[in-house]
Amino acid sequence: MKHTLSGKTRLFAVIGDPISHTASPKMHNAAYLELGIDACYVAFKVDSDNVQKALDGIRTLGIGGINVTVPHKEAALPFLDEIDPLANAIGAVNTIINHDGKLKGYNTDGLGFILSLQEDKQYHVAGKTIAILGCGGSAKAIAYTLLLAKPAKLLLLNRTLSKAQTLAAQLPPVTTIESHPLDQTDILKNCDLIINTTSVGLAPNLDDSPISDFSWAHEGQLVVDIIYNPPQTAFLRQAKAKGADTHNGAGMLAGQGMLAFEKFTGQSIPYSFFLKTLLSQ
Ligand code: ATR
C-alpha cells in the first residue's frame, strides 16, 4: 500500500541528539500505513540549547505530537503546559501530545517495559523480587512504573551508591526498597527479575558487562537488558549460560512506541506489530 501526503496529513516527530539512528519513524509510519491513517512521522535533531524553541515550533506548526529521546527527556518538562502524574513523578517525558497548542507530557518507557514482559514472556511483576542495575534516567522510569505493578521487593544496585540511595528515597514507599553497590551481586541470587539499565554492553562494546560475577544466576530467574543492540549482550549471555531466562530491550522500545502511537492517534494496534516492524530489516 502507498500513502500520498496531502494538505491534511498530520505530522508527528521524535526529537533528540543524536537522532539519525532512531527506529521510531520506521515503526510509526508502518502503523499509519497499516491502519490507513493520513499521518507522517519524522526525526528532528534538536540540540540542548533549543528544546524550548523546538516545543514552541510544535505549537506553532500544529504538529500532532512528538516523542522525546536522549538527552531531552528531563529538559522538556519546564516547557510543557501539563504533565501526566507518572511522568511528573519520573521527572521525564518521552511523549508529548499537542492539544490545540497546549502540550501535555507523558512517559511510556516504563509501561512499554512492563508490556513487553507481559507480551513476550507472559511475565507479571506482582509479588516478585526485582533488582535494577543502574540508577540513571531509564532505571528511574522503570522503577516508578514497576512499583505500580506491586512487586514484593525492589533492589537498586548502582556503581555510585549515593545515586541508588537518592532514588530509593524518592520512590513511593509502597514496598521494601533497598539500595546496594553494584558489586554486591550475591543479593541477586534471591531475585526473580534482574534488569540491566546501564549502557554497558551497548554495541560496539560487545564483551563489556556492568558486573563480572554471575555465580548468582540460576534457572527460574528472568534476566533483562534494556539494550537491544546487540540483541544478546555479554550480560545476557552470561546469565543465560547459568540457566536464567533472558530478554532484551527491543520489546521495551516497541512497547513505548506502541503506547505513544495510541496517544497520538487515538487508535490501537497490536504491540506485536510494532515489535515486528522494529525487528524487520
Ligand atoms: P540512561 O538515561 O540511559 O539511564 P544515565 O542517566 O546516563 O543513562 O545513567 C547511566 C547509568 O549507568 C548510571 O547508573 C551509571 O552509574 P553511575 O551512577 O555510577 O554513573 C551506570 N553506568 C554507566 N557506565 C557504567 C559502568 N562502566 N559501570 C557501571 N555502571 C555504569
Side-chain angles (χ1 to χ4, degrees):
M1 217 201 306
K2 185 168 158 286
H3 177 209
T4 308
L5 302 180
S6 75
K8 294 189 196 128
T9 304
R10 295 176 74 205
L11 185 63
F12 296 92
V14 57
I15 65 167
D17 185 15
I19 201 64
S20 60
H21 65 284
T22 179
S24 292
K26 180 177 163 181
M27 294 191 287
H28 286 268
N29 286 315
Y32 301 152
L33 209 54
E34 176 75 6
L35 298 185
I37 297 171
D38 185 12
C40 178
Y41 187 111
V42 296
F44 292 123
K45 180 173 176 295
V46 171
D47 73 41
S48 292
D49 293 337
N50 286 327
V51 173
Q52 182 172 16
K53 280 188 195 157
L55 295 179
D56 280 341
I58 306 298
R59 294 182 176 95
T60 307
L61 299 174
I63 291 173
I66 58 166
N67 286 122
V68 182
T69 190
V70 178
H72 306 321
K73 291 185 185 194
E74 290 93 12
L77 250 70
F79 310 121
L80 300 177
D81 300 295
E82 202 182 338
I83 303 167
D84 171 75
L86 177 61
N88 198 35
I90 295 168
V93 292
N94 78 325
T95 302
I96 298 173
I97 309 296
N98 181 3
H99 298 285
D100 298 324
K102 296 265 182 261
L103 302 186
K104 180 167 180 181
Y106 298 86
N107 195 311
T108 68
D109 285 330
L111 294 167
F113 177 83
I114 290 181
L115 183 66
S116 115
L117 291 188
Q118 288 170 353
E119 294 274 332
D120 297 324
K121 292 287 177 186
Q122 290 71 53
Y123 194 90
H124 297 275
V125 298
K128 302 290 197 313
T129 296
I130 303 175
I132 299 180
L133 313 188
C135 279
S138 313
K140 210 168 165 186
I142 289 173
Y144 270 100
T145 318
L146 280 176
L147 288 177
L148 299 175
K150 301 196 170 29
K153 195 169 172 182
L154 182 62
L155 311 182
L156 305 174
L157 287 82
N158 200 43
R159 178 178 62 180
T160 310
L161 178 61
S162 60
K163 270 212 233 167
Q165 290 167 331
T166 302
L167 179 56
Q170 280 173 6
L171 289 166
V174 293
T175 187
T176 306
I177 302 172
E178 294 178 2
S179 39
H180 298 272
L182 186 60
D183 57 9
Q184 201 182 327
T185 48
D186 56 321
I187 55 169
L188 299 178
K189 193 171 184 153
N190 296 322
C191 294
D192 305 300
L193 173 65
I194 299 101
I195 308 155
N196 174 41
T197 70
T198 77
S199 52
V200 185
L202 193 63
N205 304 313
L206 305 184
D207 293 326
D208 290 1
S209 169
I211 54 174
S212 51
D213 171 37
F214 283 84
S215 57
W216 51 270
H218 57 81
E219 203 181 326
Q221 292 175 314
L222 178 59
V223 177
V224 184
D225 202 321
I226 66 164
I227 293 173
Y228 69 98
N229 179 24
Q232 189 180 57
T233 55
F235 175 74
L236 291 188
R237 197 165 59 239
Q238 293 180 80
K240 191 173 182 179
K242 300 285 290 183
D245 190 12
T246 57
H247 187 51
N248 73 21
M252 177 179 176
L253 184 61
Q256 65 76 32
M258 184 277 256
L259 294 168
F261 170 89
E262 288 186 349
K263 292 195 182 302
F264 289 152
T265 64
Q267 298 201 39
S268 52
I269 189 158
Y271 157 85
S272 58
F273 181 87
F274 262 67
L275 184 62
K276 186 185 70 186
T277 307
L278 172 66
L279 299 178
S280 67
Q281 290 307 311

